[in-house]
Amino acid sequence: MGAALRRIQLGSALSAFGLGFTVPYLYVYVAQVRDLGAGTAGVVLAVFAMAALAVLPFTGRVIDRRGPLPVLIAASVVASVGAAALGLSSGVTSAVLSAAVLGAGTAVMQPALATMLVRCSDTGTRTRAFAMQFFLQNLGLGIGGLVGGQIVDTSRPASFTLLFLIEAAMFVVLGVIATTVRMPLGSSPAAVRAGEGAAGAQGGMRALLSNRAMVQLCVLGFVVFFACYGQFESGLAAYGTEAAGIEPATLGIALAANTAVIVVAQFVVLRLVERRKRSRVIAAVGLIWAFAWIVAGYAGLGHGSQTMATAAMISTYALFGLGESMLSPTVAPLVADLAPESMVGQYNSAFALVKQLALAVGPAVGGPMGATLHAPYIVTFVLFSLAITALALRLGRRLTPVQDQPSSAAVPSLVVAVSLPENEPAIAPAAVH
């Protein structure tokens, strides 16, 4: 990686480390530590998500007009203010407003970072750049959660305030690192627009929606995030405790297994998938996740021993991690490869908006089903996982060969150049039968 890309990856990892300090404990902090009740905690979590939905539709155009670097710096400042304010909040109004500021700041960071990765990489290196980002972010979240767990004490609100201040400091560090990044020549907004010419001036949502491959990828992305990430801390957790009878503490072990698989498998998986068609890799993820849901079904409906049920639930989370490690080097780089140079920010923001919608709808649908409708819940998400496979194969028919398999662009020619003496005529090679 070049110096700019290394700094972007470092800042991304540190911001994830800061998020890891607070994300697992936000509900407990609001409901119990600040004694604002479960209802207020639910509102805070909802506002955190809704703030992202409010700002993302405008983020992409600002990134493309102003560049991702100033947007990332501004977002890191906003997120830092929101984190610090939330750590000091003791009332309902201040907690809700702080969550809105924090949610807006962290939401804007993701498309800005993704656009910077695109600008600092090319088609050949982009797959590994996004895989590295996913690896470092998961590592940062995991370590942050573990360290934060050693600090928190529900009897001492000051311990939670410390967590939020550490998070705020990590966002400041991200902003400082961003100011030291020198983006490649030709990646400024003016240079990109000039390079695109008239085509670059026809940006906007209408141009994005006219790209049928991008629309299909957004539909696929919604199903992916709805069927996996949208269930981790809601429907699947409710199903595990209610149907499988596992202890709440075991959910922490299961999430740790998910992170461990991602960290251990990411680069092994990368070597296997980077020379295969992206559409087929995503299709394989759908099959793996369908099997994961079947394993979860055995945990809650198989009437086995409690030990087997617990092992099955942990295995389910681990299988999801394997699928995630396959998606990280395929989906995000594909968004970038589908985007015109002058609309990379808008494409990244649109896909982030789709992800956020899925993460908002997923818990609302999956939570009640996982808690009460155990068998229908499993069947529903087995079918959603199989839908991922079908949608991925359909998307593959709309992609160019290079978009579907970037490594195909680097395949050397089988024709060997031969140096001929001067004035000697070249003889066409005989046909090979």
Side-chain angles (χ1 to χ4, degrees):
M1 294 186 296
L5 196 52
R6 284 197 299 270
R7 293 181 184 186
I8 295 167
Q9 300 283 30
L10 174 62
S12 176
L14 289 175
S15 66
F17 176 69
L19 278 169
F21 272 89
T22 62
V23 169
Y25 314 108
L26 185 56
Y27 180 89
V28 174
Y29 169 71
V30 176
Q32 299 177 16
V33 176
R34 291 301 184 184
D35 198 25
L36 299 178
T40 301
V43 171
V44 166
L45 291 171
V47 166
F48 185 86
M50 293 303 295
L53 295 178
V55 298
L56 282 172
F58 312 100
T59 300
R61 187 173 290 274
V62 176
I63 290 174
D64 289 331
R65 288 182 175 179
R66 303 295 182 186
L69 192 56
V71 173
L72 178 62
I73 294 170
S76 65
V77 172
V78 171
S80 179
V81 170
L86 190 55
L88 299 171
S89 297
S90 57
V92 174
T93 302
S94 59
V96 170
L97 292 177
S98 300
V101 174
L102 178 59
T106 54
V108 172
M109 283 181 194
Q110 295 311 308
L113 282 168
T115 305
M116 291 176 74
L117 286 179
V118 173
R119 299 290 186 224
C120 294
S121 62
D122 55 32
T123 303
T125 60
R126 197 162 291 149
T127 295
R128 285 183 172 264
F130 277 97
M132 175 64 79
Q133 185 196 38
F134 186 72
F135 166 80
L136 291 174
Q137 284 185 336
N138 275 275
L139 188 62
L141 283 169
I143 295 175
L146 288 173
V147 176
Q150 305 305 309
I151 297 175
V152 294
D153 183 350
T154 54
S155 64
R156 292 191 305 112
S159 66
F160 284 84
T161 300
L162 177 61
L163 293 189
F164 283 100
L165 292 178
I166 293 173
E167 180 183 36
M170 290 298 102
F171 291 141
V172 171
V173 170
L174 169 62
V176 171
I177 291 175
T179 62
T180 69
V181 174
R182 291 187 176 183
M183 299 294 289
L185 295 175
S187 65
S188 68
V192 169
R193 287 196 295 270
E196 286 271 307
Q202 298 174 356
M205 188 59 65
R206 181 178 298 178
L208 190 152
L209 292 176
S210 68
N211 187 332
R212 299 294 296 276
M214 182 59 187
V215 172
Q216 287 190 17
L217 180 58
C218 285
V219 173
L220 172 60
F222 181 88
V223 177
V224 164
F225 292 114
F226 176 79
C228 175
Y229 299 91
Q231 305 306 314
F232 269 5
E233 296 174 7
S234 58
L236 192 55
Y239 172 85
T241 54
E242 297 291 340
I246 66 171
E247 295 294 327
T250 307
L251 292 175
I253 299 173
L255 286 169
N258 173 268
T259 302
V261 168
I262 292 170
V263 170
V264 172
Q266 182 63 84
F267 294 103
V268 176
V269 168
L270 177 62
R271 295 172 71 90
L272 296 174
V273 306
E274 64 181 346
R275 292 199 173 274
R276 287 169 172 78
K277 291 184 176 181
R278 287 167 167 169
S279 58
R280 293 183 182 178
V281 172
I282 300 170
V285 171
L287 297 177
I288 291 171
W289 284 358
F291 178 66
W293 283 108
I294 291 171
V295 173
Y298 168 78
L301 308 172
H303 306 294
S305 68
Q306 189 59 51
T307 301
M308 291 298 295
T310 300
M313 283 302 297
I314 293 173
S315 299
T316 297
Y317 278 83
L319 286 167
F320 277 121
L322 177 61
E324 291 173 73
S325 66
M326 295 169 66
L327 287 175
S328 63
T330 53
V331 175
L334 181 55
V335 173
D337 290 347
L338 289 174
E341 281 292 316
S342 62
M343 292 184 64
V344 173
Q346 292 176 72
Y347 273 58
N348 281 322
S349 295
F351 196 76
L353 179 61
V354 168
K355 176 182 178 180
Q356 199 64 40
L357 283 169
L359 294 180
V361 175
V365 174
M369 286 187 69
T372 57
L373 304 173
H374 301 149
Y377 178 68
I378 295 298
V379 172
T380 297
F381 284 94
V382 168
L383 294 177
F384 267 105
S385 299
L386 294 176
I388 292 172
T389 300
L391 289 169
L393 294 176
R394 184 180 178 187
L395 173 65
R397 294 195 289 270
R398 284 204 172 269
L399 302 177
T400 66
V402 174
Q403 288 171 343
D404 203 12
Q405 188 176 359
S407 60
S408 65
V411 175
S413 172
L414 297 178
V415 178
V416 179
V418 179
S419 177
L420 296 174
E422 247 183 85
N423 300 325
E424 183 173 332
I427 303 174
V432 178
H433 299 286

